[in-house]
Amino acid sequence: MTVDASTVREMVADLERQHPGIRDRICEESGEIRRFVNVFVGDEDIRFLQGLDTQIPPGTQVSIIPAVAGGR
Amino acid sequence: MGAILGLRCRECGREYPAEPIHVCEYCFAPLEVVYDYDEIRSVISPKSISEGPRSIWRYADLLPGGEKRVDLGAGLTPLVPAPRLGAELGLHDLWIKNDTLNPTHSFKDRVVSVALTVARDFGFNTVACASTGNLATAVAAHAAHAGMSAYIFIPADLERGKIVATAVYGPQLVAVQGTYDDVNRLCSEIAGQFEWAFVNVNIRPYYAEGSKSLAFEIAEQLGWRAPDHVIVPIASGSLLTKIRRGLDELVKVGLLDGHQARISGAQAEGCSPVATAFKAGEDHVRPVKPNTIAKSLAIGNPADGYYAIKAARESGGVMESVTDEEIIDGISLLARTEGVFTETAGGVTIATLRKLAERGDVKPDERTVALITGDGLKTIEALVDRAGPTMTIPPSLDAFAAQLESKN
């Protein structure tokens, strides 16, 4: 899907506008991304960029992926 | 399902019935087993435990799983004082928890015994796992014992000994051309397609509980007292987290008056995402591509890294990583001083312990327990260049005497 946003924060707001209720699934009450939700701008996890303030250049693919628990 | 109440999300707290699920469907965080501690407190005692089976199931009140257990005798391994290793490291009260002495020679028998018991309770006939070896072997053996089918997914480059020691039990053994993290990702997809009990996917909340038995045993073997410090190797981070949870639960059910055990974590430098985040003061673990001889710890994207960091920090513990060279030295040191031969993961624990002792992070008088989680025969490749005959002679007394002379 396509959103109108230049940062991750704006992306979340636009997602919520298009699909009310989704914000609460991916964000804490504080607005921060939930611990077991990963947001990738391009191939990079936004936790290692600028978090919610990470810039999204026009046309960039953003992936929202639940961190699947696994491991021995 | 024993005395458990159900499952609860570790982040948002939503509750779920006891089912083969592992992720909160609302916030995607992992689920954890919930117990009725007041009820357990009313039935459990040192006596009730000492009269129980000589396996992890003596702590059945604090584990999931019903009466029809898949029990090959995992657990109740020796906790032995390690004075000679302690003297080398300047520690006066050091103990080794020797979990090489499990049915398939690693601590994984504990978690698998619980996982397969619960899987059978749920009505599964087929179990599966992603593994770097120890889990594979434990699942294969317990499945054979229980008459269940097993599908086991391993990285294709695993040590030969671990492949043979798994294949011999007759599972479907699938060698995947990729890293453990690739295998794990594949298994998450397979788990969505097939109605199998994946011990470390949909059975994970129950499976992971088996690790608590290590903490229970240490306390019982110390005469129902907690140690001051526990050194734990980290792969997914689950074991470290569960050691703390186990000790906390003993307080909740009245078997310990309290505890101040510090829990410290050990990783190999070639795969140290958790220790790196800990040392940087961060919560989030940045995934890495593993490159270490400690293959049983080589998880680049550890599921419980965050919780392990939290448990270490809150308990006053620390984390450190060691090089492959230090790992091999650690294996040799433990074998030479205490007569315990561990696989590379135990080398990581001992090498880290040495580093922490030198730095004063493990204090000389602390009652410290180092967890030795797997047998050295599993990873002899690591030592073939380091351990061999000290002399090679023709079969003659003269030759032996001459060699002995030249050595002395």
Side-chain angles (χ1 to χ4, degrees):
Chain A
M1 59 184 294
T2 303
V3 293
D4 184 12
S6 61
T7 64
V8 173
R9 192 185 304 279
E10 289 175 20
M11 178 198 75
V12 172
D14 197 48
L15 275 178
E16 176 69 14
R17 190 181 54 75
Q18 296 186 38
H19 299 278
I22 197 167
R23 183 207 307 266
D24 192 47
R25 300 291 301 279
I26 60 178
C27 294
E28 307 276 353
E29 277 174 37
S30 66
E32 289 302 310
I33 299 291
R34 287 188 182 276
R35 191 171 308 285
F36 289 88
V37 174
N38 295 329
V39 179
F40 296 89
V41 172
D43 288 333
E44 190 71 8
D45 187 332
I46 62 159
R47 291 193 181 97
F48 304 109
L49 296 170
Q50 287 76 47
L52 288 167
D53 296 320
T54 302
Q55 297 284 320
I56 306 174
T60 307
Q61 183 173 334
V62 180
S63 315
I64 303 173
I65 301 175
V68 179
R72 303 151 302 172
Chain B
M1 286 294 286
I4 76 175
L5 296 174
L7 298 173
R8 184 188 292 138
C9 174
R10 281 159 91 169
E11 291 296 313
C12 75
R14 276 181 177 74
E15 296 194 346
Y16 296 86
E19 285 173 1
I21 51 173
H22 68 298
V23 174
C24 175
E25 58 190 38
Y26 195 78
C27 80
F28 312 107
L31 303 178
E32 192 162 60
V33 176
V34 184
Y35 299 84
D36 183 345
Y37 293 117
D38 290 333
E39 169 67 23
I40 296 168
R41 192 187 177 101
S42 71
V43 296
I44 206 167
S45 68
K47 187 166 180 287
S48 75
I49 289 168
S50 68
E51 289 169 354
R54 295 195 56 79
S55 74
I56 61 166
W57 293 104
R58 67 207 277 104
Y59 312 106
D61 291 329
L62 288 163
L63 296 173
E67 296 289 324
K68 284 183 65 185
R69 293 162 190 154
V70 180
D71 188 3
L72 270 177
L76 219 63
T77 57
L79 176 71
V80 290
R84 287 168 41 78
L85 176 61
E88 290 257 354
L89 304 181
L91 303 176
H92 310 316
D93 198 4
L94 178 62
W95 300 66
I96 297 295
K97 180 62 174 166
N98 185 0
D99 240 24
T100 71
L101 289 168
N102 272 307
T104 70
H105 316 285
S106 89
F107 91 103
K108 288 296 176 192
D109 289 318
R110 298 173 181 276
V111 283
V112 169
S113 180
V114 173
L116 265 59
T117 298
V118 170
R120 210 160 54 175
D121 289 348
F122 282 137
F124 288 102
N125 298 315
T126 301
V127 294
C129 70
S131 173
T132 57
N134 288 337
L135 177 59
T137 306
V139 168
H142 283 82
H145 181 69
M148 301 170 91
S149 304
Y151 281 81
I152 292 170
F153 299 82
I154 55 170
D157 70 347
L158 212 58
E159 295 100 334
R160 283 197 65 80
K162 287 183 177 172
I163 293 175
V164 173
T166 301
V168 71
Y169 298 108
Q172 294 294 324
L173 184 59
V174 184
V176 179
Q177 289 148 341
T179 64
Y180 173 74
D181 293 292
D182 295 329
V183 179
N184 211 21
R185 199 158 44 240
L186 172 65
C187 282
S188 298
E189 291 178 41
I190 294 172
Q193 295 276 321
F194 296 84
E195 298 268 309
W196 295 342
F198 260 90
V199 303
N200 50 352
V201 184
N202 55 344
I203 304 297
R204 185 173 172 83
Y206 311 95
Y207 154 91
E209 288 288 283
S211 292
K212 295 187 310 190
S213 62
L214 262 166
F216 300 155
E217 284 174 25
I218 290 169
E220 183 182 4
Q221 289 166 323
L222 291 174
W224 293 111
R225 291 172 62 175
D228 299 320
H229 205 151
V230 188
I231 315 295
V232 187
I234 297 176
S236 75
S238 174
L239 175 59
L240 189 148
T241 309
K242 295 294 180 178
I243 294 292
R244 180 133 198 264
R245 177 165 150 105
L247 292 172
D248 289 347
E249 285 185 346
L250 293 180
V251 177
K252 284 183 187 152
V253 301
L255 288 168
L256 289 177
D257 287 337
H259 82 86
Q260 264 104 44
R262 302 167 65 204
I263 320 285
S264 289
Q267 289 208 292
E269 214 162 273
C271 183
S272 56
V274 185
T276 302
F278 180 93
K279 289 196 276 184
E282 288 165 4
D283 294 340
H284 280 294
V285 175
R286 189 183 191 121
V288 299
K289 224 176 154 80
N291 178 22
T292 169
I293 56 167
K295 290 184 185 164
S296 64
L297 301 181
I299 300 184
N301 189 10
D304 284 304
Y306 162 74
Y307 295 111
I309 289 170
K310 193 161 175 272
R313 234 175 237 149
E314 287 176 0
S315 71
V318 292
M319 288 190 189
E320 194 46 85
S321 60
V322 290
T323 64
D324 284 358
E325 193 64 24
E326 290 171 317
I327 293 167
I328 291 169
D329 288 344
I331 295 172
S332 307
L333 179 63
L334 179 65
R336 234 175 348 98
T337 54
E338 296 297 341
V340 174
F341 181 26
T342 179
E343 67 157 344
T344 44
V348 171
T349 302
I350 297 300
T352 298
L353 172 66
R354 164 140 77 180
K355 219 163 167 176
L356 298 182
E358 279 167 5
R359 269 212 316 247
D361 277 330
V362 174
K363 306 202 171 25
D365 294 320
E366 279 185 314
R367 173 159 287 180
T368 300
V369 177
L371 300 190
I372 300 304
T373 48
D375 192 312
L377 292 176
K378 286 171 176 280
T379 58
I380 45 170
E381 286 91 340
L383 280 124
V384 284
D385 297 333
R386 290 274 296 256
T390 47
M391 54 177 82
T392 302
I393 54 167
S396 98
L397 179 58
D398 287 349
F400 176 64
Q403 279 270 352
L404 202 58
E405 183 80 8
S406 73
K407 284 233 163 201
N408 294 335

